[in-house]
Amino acid sequence: MAGAPFFREGGMEIKSIMCCCGGGVGSSFMVQLNVQSLLKKHGIEGVSVDHVSVSEISMVPVDLYVVGSDLAPFLKDKPRVIELDNIVSMPELEEKLLAAFEKARNE
């Protein structure tokens, strides 16, 4: 698959992604759908994607968090965080998501 090398060739795998927002309902769910769409577009399989509010992130250990830049301080202790300046920008999400997989592959 075209995107498979982003998480299958050595390094630390990304197997789970959590999209976070203030309430854990609207915007995080939208970002979740966008992440799932991009993973499918790039042929990346075997990655679970979910969404929660920032108050729930400590209960759910995952490999990568996706959050708007306004909420990034809540995730400062997490090792892998994609910080989005514009949560509805697919090009920004795609660029940062693929960069995160590439970085994880090289860790």
Side-chain angles (χ1 to χ4, degrees), residues 23-76:
V25 183
S27 57
S28 62
F29 180 63
M30 180 191 64
V31 174
Q32 175 187 347
L33 294 175
N34 289 342
V35 168
Q36 289 170 326
S37 174
L38 289 170
L39 292 175
K40 184 175 181 178
K41 174 183 175 181
H42 292 279
I44 300 172
E45 298 175 339
V47 179
S48 66
V49 185
D50 207 347
H51 67 281
V52 295
S53 70
V54 291
S55 64
E56 298 173 295
I57 60 172
S58 64
M59 295 183 264
V60 186
V62 297
D63 300 321
L64 177 66
Y65 294 87
V66 181
V67 65
S69 58
D70 59 325
L71 298 175
F74 291 101
L75 290 106
K76 64 181 182 257

